[in-house]
Amino acid sequence: MRLIADATQARVYLRQDRPLWAWPLCTLGPREWPYVRLWVQGCEPPLRDRPADERPGSPLGGGAAGLWTLDHPAWGGGLQAFGETAALERMLQSAVLPGRAFVRTLPTAVELVTARFAFEWLDAIVRMQVTPDTLCVPPEADLVESLTLDDAGALVALYAHWPESRFLPSRLRQGYQYVGVRDGSRLVAVAEHTLAAPDDGLAVVQGVLVEPAWRGRGLAGAVTAALTARLFAQGFAVVVLDVRESNVAAQAAYRRIGYREHVTLLAGPATAR
């Protein structure tokens, strides 16, 4: 077990499974890395050359494990714990954990994590991924257009249907990308890109929302496919998104455009006990 003190070394470990470690890979820049800690065990030989049941993303673990924490004064905290439970137990005992964090873990480690955090909610989340060769852009994507700062009010109105999204107009000024479908001057569907690891060819799509009256018309897949295609055009090689396991309709929409399940996690906001 070791604490990785260099962002370049952290990248070597995390990029062995880019979809699994998507959020940590987005925190290796000079603004984020000072607030990151990454504990690892068993990262040799390269994970892609090892059997599936010996990778950190596997419930069996094979002795490999990783614990990533983020405790940023402005952005808040995050924690991701995967791998063999005995190794994770030692890491959790050694690490200074954030007081409040959004936690992601495999089901096999949930008892370790819930012993240290009280969750507001804890849901099964399916991590899905797509690559340029598997993306299928549907005809409805022709309705999708790019959104700008001028669309801030329309985005606020649409995201009011989903307060959990915590949309802020300032994201548009920070360079986050949005695409949407309009009904006249009103937005009825949107997808959001906020996080990326350009050096690792990875981007994250989130914030996909369709106004309730417009659901069932293929718009979720349309905005997601259009935004994903834009990210591939910008040079990204892998795009991931998370969807609740209970949201069967959304999973089906993402599968139709080429996304595939990578792993199922347990995730939610939590406060340290």
Side-chain angles (χ1 to χ4, degrees):
M1 182 180 74
R2 64 192 177 99
L3 175 65
I4 295 181
D6 178 78
T8 300
Q9 294 177 12
R11 175 170 284 110
V12 171
Y13 179 84
L14 296 173
R15 73 182 308 168
Q16 293 174 99
D17 192 335
R18 286 182 292 178
L20 178 69
W21 292 101
W23 268 259
L25 278 167
C26 296
T27 63
L28 300 182
R31 294 186 305 167
E32 303 89 5
W33 179 249
Y35 306 101
V36 171
R37 296 293 182 270
L38 177 63
W39 295 87
V40 303
Q41 175 172 298
C43 57
E44 295 292 343
L47 304 186
R48 63 180 178 275
D49 298 331
R50 291 162 54 183
D53 63 352
E54 293 184 1
R55 298 174 188 166
S58 163
L60 298 182
L67 174 69
W68 165 85
T69 65
L70 171 70
D71 197 359
H72 195 281
W75 304 334
L79 183 143
Q80 185 159 314
F82 295 137
E84 197 266 330
T85 54
L88 283 177
E89 175 68 24
R90 293 191 295 272
M91 293 175 184
L92 287 165
Q93 290 174 351
S94 301
V96 177
L97 304 179
R100 182 164 176 79
F102 194 92
V103 178
R104 297 177 177 88
T105 185
L106 284 170
T108 50
V110 68
E111 291 187 9
L112 296 179
V113 174
T114 54
R116 291 165 172 82
F117 287 93
F119 284 81
E120 292 180 21
W121 49 264
L122 184 62
D123 282 352
I125 303 292
V126 179
R127 172 73 47 83
M128 305 184 78
Q129 67 158 333
V130 67
T131 54
D133 58 317
T134 60
L135 179 66
C136 179
V137 180
E140 294 85 357
D142 291 341
L143 302 172
V144 179
E145 58 186 272
S146 299
L147 304 179
T148 69
L149 189 58
D150 292 338
D151 299 299
L155 283 165
V156 169
L158 180 56
Y159 277 122
H161 292 282
W162 185 24
E164 187 183 323
S165 70
R166 297 182 174 87
F167 170 76
L168 296 173
S170 60
R171 293 180 181 179
L172 291 157
R173 292 190 292 271
Q174 294 166 3
Y176 297 171
Q177 300 182 57
Y178 293 83
V179 300
V181 174
R182 300 181 194 274
D183 175 32
S185 61
R186 183 167 57 100
L187 279 177
V188 296
V190 66
E192 171 188 57
H193 161 62
T194 60
L195 296 173
D199 291 340
D200 304 292
L202 179 136
V204 178
V205 167
Q206 57 187 36
V208 178
L209 177 63
V210 178
E211 186 178 290
W214 284 77
R215 292 173 185 169
R217 307 187 193 191
L219 296 186
V223 293
T224 303
L227 182 54
T228 301
R230 173 194 284 194
L231 294 169
F232 287 147
Q234 293 170 0
F236 293 101
V238 180
V239 178
V240 304
L241 58 77
D242 284 352
V243 56
R244 280 185 168 89
E245 188 177 51
S246 59
N247 194 343
V248 177
Q251 291 178 54
Y254 301 140
R255 286 192 204 98
R256 283 194 290 271
I257 62 172
Y259 277 81
R260 296 294 179 263
E261 295 86 347
H262 187 70
V263 67
T264 298
L265 316 172
L266 292 176
T271 304
R273 296 186 184 277

